[in-house]
Amino acid sequence: MIYIFFAIWLAISAACFFAKSRKVVHILCGLYMAVHTIFAAMLWLGGAYLTSSGGFFTFDELGTLFYALLAVVATFVLIHSQEYLKDDKITNYRNYFALLMLLITSITGVYFADNIAVTWILLETTTLCAAGIIYHRHSKATLEATWKYLFVCSTGIAIAYLGILLLSAAASNNSLSYNDLQQLIANGNPLYLKVAFLLIITGYSCKMEIFPLYTIGVDANFAAPAPASAIISTALVNAGFLAIFRVYRLFAETPVFEWVRHVILLVGVLSLIVGALFLRRTNNYKRFLSYSTVENMGIAAIGLGVGGIGVWAALFHVVCHTLIKSSLFLQIAVVRQVYNGYRINRIGDYISINKVGAIGLLVGMVVVLAFPPSPLFISELMIFKQAISGGNWLLLATMLLLLCVVIYSICFRIIKLCYQPNQDELHLSKINRRLSYSALSLIVAAIVLGLWQPAMLSNIIDKIVTF
């Protein structure tokens, strides 16, 4: 079944490259999301959920959860991109949407891949699609960012491939399916398993935007159009998280699992340190939001590292972060339309220019900082609880200190945007407040999850973390 949908999605994306007008591009975008709607309906209502397809794909709880988030965010991104790029030439316009649809298709494949090699292949495919989007402006800065992204991501994926080879050796080359690997490596050579995990988490860190290869995600978000950054910083980051989480689950029955948890805990803490420190230093709002992603993915990694209820919290944190960060990037896209830039020290007085957008940013600030009723408050509180129950007082103190730095940095920058005197030229005719309302709805959805977690969502996460 899934190969049919892949063929349709690829055909629509290919047709977009040859579209003669914006109207045709918009029709193709609508058709593309309509096919995704049909696919989602077959998952939830057509009996495809928890089944396998094509030998290499399984519609399990983890992939289906992240796919639902992808479908929501992609719809918003496609709509906002049409307004954001309305002044672009038709060639750039159609290429952007074609590449965006190809990226969404590749990410969908990563979510449902039931084979570690197929996951690897599709993650590399996302690199090629994202690179084209990053180069959209065809400037010297975007060209540099594109080559960096291609080089670092390809290097990271190659490193991960070496880890997959070692896992295959530990499994006696019998199978690369996740279910089979979990049984085959249960009594594998500890040295092989440790080196394999180090290589895989290092390689995939470029996608999840965690230490050590986090920088390339920051550069990508800086260069890409802001609506596309909403996909790169959420759906693509989730693909990296999912790839690492599937490997993390493989090691649950191995003798090195405790060591694996310590490694991912260290990676999480280092990511949190990097995010906290660079939030203070950057002078660009898109980089600023990107470092916030590094910080939040670091917290998710810490949740996996502490184990217990921290694993549940990590999944919930990533789910809610998807809604919050996509909303903030879409709001920043409106900011760029007003000021034609993202310079923190020059732009301001946004509350007077676009009150709805400013409220969206202020509410987003409160929610991304995990203040109640933010859902991130719940996930971070659960991670703190698990750290305390495990006696990790140094970890708790470190997290609290770094989160204080994060709180100060984000509050200072967002409040400056809304209230400091503006020094840049304004383009008031380009304000589309409907887009601000649209982005705000994602934050509202996240707040709802902070106040009420649907039984379906809780049950799905429960099943995912039971291994």
Side-chain angles (χ1 to χ4, degrees):
M1 178 191 81
I2 195 168
Y3 292 122
I4 296 173
F5 281 98
F6 275 139
I8 296 171
W9 290 327
L10 292 174
I12 296 172
S13 304
C16 196
F17 279 113
F18 304 99
K20 298 296 184 181
S21 67
R22 283 174 169 77
K23 184 177 180 180
V24 174
V25 172
H26 298 167
I27 292 172
L28 289 171
C29 288
L31 180 60
Y32 180 81
M33 290 314 301
V35 177
H36 272 284
T37 302
I38 295 170
F39 179 66
M42 292 187 68
L43 279 181
W44 292 105
L45 305 174
Y49 182 51
L50 300 181
T51 65
S52 296
S53 178
F56 297 109
F57 298 92
T58 298
F59 308 121
D60 62 353
E61 295 92 349
L62 181 59
T64 303
L65 175 61
F66 282 122
Y67 174 72
L69 292 169
L70 170 64
V72 172
V73 173
T75 301
F76 279 82
V77 168
L78 288 170
I79 293 171
H80 281 245
S81 294
Q82 293 172 11
E83 177 69 21
Y84 187 86
L85 302 175
K86 64 182 180 181
D87 296 328
D88 280 27
K89 296 179 180 178
I90 183 61
T91 304
N92 288 350
Y93 193 79
R94 69 191 184 193
N95 289 348
Y96 168 87
F97 281 98
L99 289 167
L100 189 58
M101 288 188 278
L102 287 173
L103 178 61
I104 294 167
T105 302
S106 301
I107 293 171
T108 301
V110 173
Y111 289 168
F112 292 117
D114 190 32
N115 183 291
I116 195 170
V118 175
T119 300
W120 178 85
I121 292 168
L122 289 168
L123 277 175
E124 179 63 6
T125 305
T126 65
T127 300
L128 301 176
C129 299
I133 295 172
I134 293 166
Y135 187 53
H136 177 75
R137 295 296 178 192
H138 295 171
S139 65
K140 183 178 179 181
T142 58
L143 178 62
E144 180 181 350
T146 301
W147 279 115
K148 282 182 179 178
Y149 188 78
L150 284 170
F151 178 77
V152 175
C153 282
S154 297
T155 302
I157 296 297
I159 291 171
Y161 180 67
L162 295 177
I164 293 171
L165 288 179
L166 281 175
L167 270 187
S168 176
S172 302
N173 300 312
N174 287 330
S175 175
L176 290 177
S177 131
Y178 287 110
N179 287 333
D180 293 340
L181 273 176
Q182 190 166 24
Q183 300 172 10
L184 292 169
I185 68 172
N187 297 308
N189 185 311
L191 179 61
Y192 279 21
L193 295 178
K194 287 181 179 180
V195 176
F197 184 78
L198 281 176
L199 291 171
I200 289 172
I201 194 172
T202 299
Y204 286 165
S205 67
C206 63
K207 296 298 181 181
M208 188 178 163
E209 294 188 23
I210 54 175
F211 185 89
L213 301 181
Y214 64 90
T215 55
I216 200 58
V218 176
D219 289 339
N221 285 318
F222 168 71
S229 297
I231 282 280
I232 294 171
S233 198
T234 58
L236 185 53
V237 164
N238 291 355
F241 173 84
L242 181 143
I244 291 174
F245 185 76
R246 289 198 190 279
V247 174
Y248 173 85
R249 287 200 305 192
L250 290 181
F251 283 79
E253 301 299 326
T254 66
V256 300
F257 185 56
E258 194 66 24
W259 178 88
V260 164
R261 284 177 47 199
H262 282 94
V263 169
I264 203 164
L265 178 62
L266 177 62
V267 168
V269 171
L270 290 173
S271 302
L272 181 55
I273 291 172
V274 166
L277 294 181
F278 279 93
L279 278 170
R280 288 282 299 120
R281 298 183 59 183
T282 183
N283 190 38
N284 181 283
Y285 276 108
K286 286 181 72 182
R287 285 189 180 273
F288 177 75
L289 291 179
S290 298
Y291 281 115
S292 172
T293 299
V294 175
E295 173 246 329
N296 276 283
M297 290 303 105
I299 292 173
I302 290 172
L304 297 180
V306 298
I309 60 172
V311 181
W312 197 101
L315 262 294
F316 186 68
H317 193 92
V318 173
V319 167
C320 299
H321 172 266
T322 303
L323 298 173
I324 297 165
K325 191 55 59 67
S326 57
S327 173
L328 289 172
F329 267 110
L330 294 177
Q331 291 286 9
I332 285 296
V334 180
V335 169
R336 196 255 182 190
Q337 298 293 79
V338 175
Y339 300 100
N340 198 31
Y342 305 101
R343 290 170 291 186
I344 289 175
N345 291 334
R346 292 187 59 84
I347 63 178
D349 198 28
Y350 194 51
I351 193 74
S352 300
I353 299 165
N354 183 11
K355 187 167 292 185
V356 176
I359 290 173
L361 288 171
L362 291 169
V363 173
M365 174 190 76
V366 171
V367 176
V368 80
L369 290 175
F371 292 128
S374 169
L376 302 187
F377 174 77
I378 297 172
S379 56
E380 291 184 15
L381 196 63
M382 293 173 73
I383 292 172
F384 292 156
K385 182 179 179 180
Q386 183 63 34
I388 292 171
S389 65
N392 295 320
W393 295 102
L394 178 60
L395 171 65
L396 182 65
T398 302
M399 287 186 69
L400 290 173
L401 176 62
L402 292 171
L403 288 175
C404 286
V405 176
V406 170
I407 289 170
Y408 171 78
S409 301
I410 292 181
C411 286
F412 180 73
R413 300 301 172 86
I414 298 296
I415 290 174
K416 278 187 75 172
L417 172 59
C418 293
Y419 294 103
Q420 78 170 353
N422 176 56
Q423 301 177 47
D424 270 9
E425 180 185 356
L426 297 177
H427 304 268
L428 300 180
S429 61
K430 293 187 176 182
I431 297 178
N432 187 341
R433 290 178 175 82
R434 290 177 298 176
L435 297 180
S436 296
Y437 280 109
S438 171
L440 183 59
S441 65
L442 290 170
I443 285 289
V444 173
I447 292 174
V448 170
L449 289 180
L451 298 171
W452 168 67
Q453 295 82 50
M456 178 182 288
L457 175 61
S458 298
N459 291 337
I460 288 175
I461 297 179
D462 287 341
K463 291 176 181 177
I464 292 171
V465 301
T466 302
F467 52 86

